[in-house]
Amino acid sequence: MATVISIVPEKLLMKSQMGARFNLPWKQNRELEQKKKRFFTRPWGRRQIGILCALGFLGMALTALVVALPVYFTKIYGFVKDTDDYWKRPQPNEDHSYQLEENRPSFALHNFPDPGLIQHNGTWYAYGTNPKKRNPGSIHVPVATSTDFINWTLHEDYDAMSTLGAWEKKVNHWAPDVIQRDDGKFVMYYSGEAKNYGSHHCVGVAVSNGTSPLGPYIPEDKPLACPHKHGGAIDPSPFRDTDGTLYVVYKGDGNSVGHGGNCNNSKKPLVSVPILLQELKSDGITPVGEPVKILDIDDTDGPLVEAPDILLTEDGTYYLFFSSHCYVSLGYNVKYAYSKSLKGPYVRANRPLLQTGDWGLEAPGGATVSTDGRKIVFHANCGQFRCMWSAAIDIRSNNNTIVMSKLVVDQKSNSTKPTGNS
C-alpha cells in the first residue's frame, strides 16, 4: 500500500506562521475589549464593587496628601512661599546713596548668622550663631576678628563658650552679643534652648574668665530671661546708657506660640511679639525690676520683629534697629525706629535700612551697629547659608534717617571710618 506524504513548501509555511503571529495582538485586543464590555454591562459583583471602592479610596488619599503637604511643610519650616512676600522683591530705595556702588556692603564671613559686635584695643570682634545649630558636638559660639572691619578672620575650632549652663541643651545657640563691665571683664548674652521647655529658647548670660573679648565665657546656671507668656526669649543685645546703667534688649518669642502660618504667627488672632528692655545691675547678670516693652509688631512686620539693637547718638536720640518678617523669606530686612527716651515710644522710619534687592542682597537682617553709630554688621542669604557682611552707615540727625555709606580704611590708624552721603 502506498503512503501519501504531503509536502508543504517552506515559504508557504513561514507565511502562514507570520500571519498567525501578526493576527495574535489583534485577537488579544479584541478579547480585552470584550472583557471590558462584559465588566461594565453585566451586573456588578463583589469583585467589581471592591475594585471601584479601592480606586475611590486611592483618589481620596491622593487628595488628602495634596492638602496636607503644604500644612506639614508650613509647620516644619514656618512659612508658605506664596505669602509673607516670600518671592516679592521690595521697591528700590530712592535715596541716592543706595545707587552708589562705593556704598556696597563688604562680604565678611561664610555661614555666620546673627552677628554681635564689639571693639577692643583696636580689634573688632564678631560673635555668631553656631554654624551647626542642631549638632550637639558643634561649637556653641564662634568668634571672628578684624583690624580694619573689612578683612575678617574666623577663629576656627575655637568655642568662646565651650561649657554650658545647667538650664540649657547642647544645641541651638543663637545670636550672641558682648559688652564690657566696669571691672574689665566681658559679659556675653545669647539665646539657648531650654531643658524641659520643648524647643523654646531663653536668654542666657556668661562672663569672661579674664579680660579678653575672646573669653572663654562661663555661663550662669540659670537663664537671665525666659518669659513663658511670650514663648521664651531670643536675640539679646546689651546697651550702656549715658549714666552707665546696663540694659539688655531682647525679643519675646511670641511667634513660637502663635496659631500657625508663616513663622507660626500669620493666622489670626496674631500673638504679640514684643521687644523687651531689661535693666541690669552693674554685674550685667542681675535683673533690676521687670522688663519694659518698647516695640511690638504692626501691619508692616508680618509675623514678627526680632534682632533688636540700641544705639545712642551724640544728640541724645536713641535708635532701635530690628528685623521683621520671617528670616527664611525675601521680606526679611533691617528696620529702625527712634526716640528721645530709651523706653520709648519709638517712631518707625518710613523705609528699612536694608532689604532684599539692595546691592543684590537677599534677606538681610540680624544687624548690630557699632557704639559710635558708624559701622554695621549683618547677615544675608548666601546659597543655603547666611553670611556676614560689614558696612558703614550715615545717620542724618536733621531728619532721623539712616542710609548706607562708604567704608574707608584708614591705613595709618588701622581703623575704619565712613564718609557721609548726606
Side-chain angles (χ1 to χ4, degrees):
M1 182 176 179
T3 302
V4 179
I5 300 176
S6 176
I7 301 175
V8 180
E10 183 178 354
K11 290 185 178 180
L12 183 61
L13 180 61
M14 292 177 61
K15 184 176 180 180
S16 175
Q17 291 174 344
M18 290 176 64
R21 187 184 307 162
F22 288 130
N23 287 336
L24 183 59
W26 176 82
K27 290 181 179 179
Q28 289 178 340
N29 290 338
R30 184 177 179 182
E31 291 176 358
L32 183 60
E33 291 295 331
Q34 291 175 348
K35 288 181 180 180
K36 288 181 179 179
K37 186 175 181 180
R38 289 196 300 269
F39 179 84
F40 288 103
T41 57
R42 68 183 181 183
W44 284 15
R46 293 181 178 179
R47 180 170 176 268
Q48 289 87 347
I49 295 175
I51 293 174
L52 185 63
C53 290
L55 291 174
F57 178 79
L58 180 61
M60 289 188 293
L62 290 174
T63 302
L65 187 63
V66 170
V67 173
L69 278 177
V71 177
Y72 171 78
F73 284 111
T74 297
K75 185 68 175 177
I76 296 299
Y77 297 106
F79 66 93
V80 180
K81 288 190 176 182
D82 61 353
T83 58
D84 192 34
D85 295 336
Y86 187 89
W87 296 117
K88 182 180 179 181
R89 293 181 177 272
Q91 291 295 323
N93 194 322
E94 296 180 356
D95 190 276
H96 177 63
S97 64
Y98 287 81
Q99 316 306 319
L100 300 177
E101 184 64 22
E102 64 184 14
N103 293 346
R104 174 183 291 275
S106 174
F107 179 86
L109 293 165
H110 178 72
N111 192 13
F112 205 88
D114 309 310
L117 179 70
I118 192 172
Q119 186 186 35
H120 182 66
N121 291 338
T123 298
W124 294 96
Y125 296 80
Y127 310 84
T129 287
N130 60 326
K132 298 179 180 179
K133 295 183 291 185
R134 294 175 179 83
N135 184 350
S138 172
I139 291 173
H140 303 116
V141 179
V143 184
T145 54
S146 174
T147 56
D148 61 8
F149 207 71
I150 295 177
N151 301 290
W152 291 82
T153 300
L154 177 66
H155 292 243
E156 295 188 22
D157 300 323
Y158 177 72
D159 191 346
M161 191 180 71
S162 58
T163 60
L164 300 177
W167 63 273
E168 58 191 317
K169 299 177 184 177
K170 295 181 179 180
V171 296
N172 290 332
H173 290 82
W174 304 343
D177 207 353
V178 170
I179 197 169
Q180 189 174 24
R181 295 193 312 201
D182 293 336
D183 64 359
K185 290 191 173 184
F186 293 84
V187 184
M188 175 183 289
Y189 305 86
Y190 62 95
S191 314
E193 190 169 312
K195 296 177 180 177
N196 304 318
Y197 193 23
S199 59
H200 295 284
H201 280 66
C202 304
V203 169
V205 60
V207 180
S208 65
N209 196 31
T211 56
S212 169
L214 287 175
Y217 290 84
I218 310 301
E220 296 293 302
D221 281 333
K222 293 182 180 180
L224 175 65
C226 197
H228 283 215
K229 67 178 180 179
H230 294 307
I234 63 172
D235 296 349
S237 177
F239 172 75
R240 187 191 302 274
D241 208 351
T242 52
D243 62 358
T245 303
L246 294 177
Y247 295 85
V248 61
V249 60
Y250 58 88
K251 168 196 175 183
D253 202 16
N255 58 288
S256 70
V257 290
H259 301 110
N262 302 320
C263 281
N264 201 42
N265 195 33
S266 64
K267 292 185 177 180
K268 295 183 178 180
L270 300 187
V271 175
S272 170
V273 186
I275 300 299
L276 300 170
L277 179 70
Q278 175 66 64
E279 183 180 344
L280 302 169
K281 290 185 177 181
S282 60
D283 61 6
I285 63 176
T286 305
V288 176
E290 295 297 318
V292 177
K293 182 172 73 171
I294 60 175
L295 197 75
D296 209 329
I297 55 173
D298 70 9
D299 293 340
T300 69
D301 295 323
L304 58 83
V305 287
E306 61 186 16
D309 186 56
I310 294 177
L311 168 71
L312 175 61
T313 56
E314 293 180 353
D315 68 348
T317 302
Y318 295 89
Y319 287 89
L320 172 63
F321 298 83
F322 61 97
S323 292
S324 70
H325 293 278
C326 293
Y327 80 93
V328 291
S329 78
L330 294 183
Y332 204 59
N333 52 32
V334 177
K335 292 182 175 180
Y336 64 97
Y338 56 91
S339 174
K340 284 297 183 180
S341 170
L342 174 61
K343 297 180 181 180
Y346 282 84
V347 179
R348 290 166 173 260
N350 293 328
R351 194 263 186 198
L353 173 63
L354 282 168
Q355 63 181 11
T356 294
D358 294 341
W359 293 282
L361 296 170
E362 287 192 352
T368 301
V369 177
S370 61
T371 55
D372 63 1
R374 300 163 66 184
K375 293 167 282 293
I376 186 173
V377 290
F378 61 92
H379 72 246
N381 290 351
C382 53
Q384 61 179 327
F385 300 102
R386 291 176 292 164
C387 296
M388 189 182 97
W389 299 72
S390 59
I393 60 175
D394 179 22
I395 299 177
R396 299 169 176 173
S397 58
N398 61 324
N399 58 5
N400 297 118
T401 60
I402 307 176
V403 295
M404 304 304 292
S405 182
K406 180 182 178 181
L407 191 63
V408 178
V409 179
D410 185 348
Q411 298 292 346
K412 293 182 179 180
S413 62
N414 203 26
S415 63
T416 54
K417 56 183 180 181
T419 58
N421 292 304
S422 301

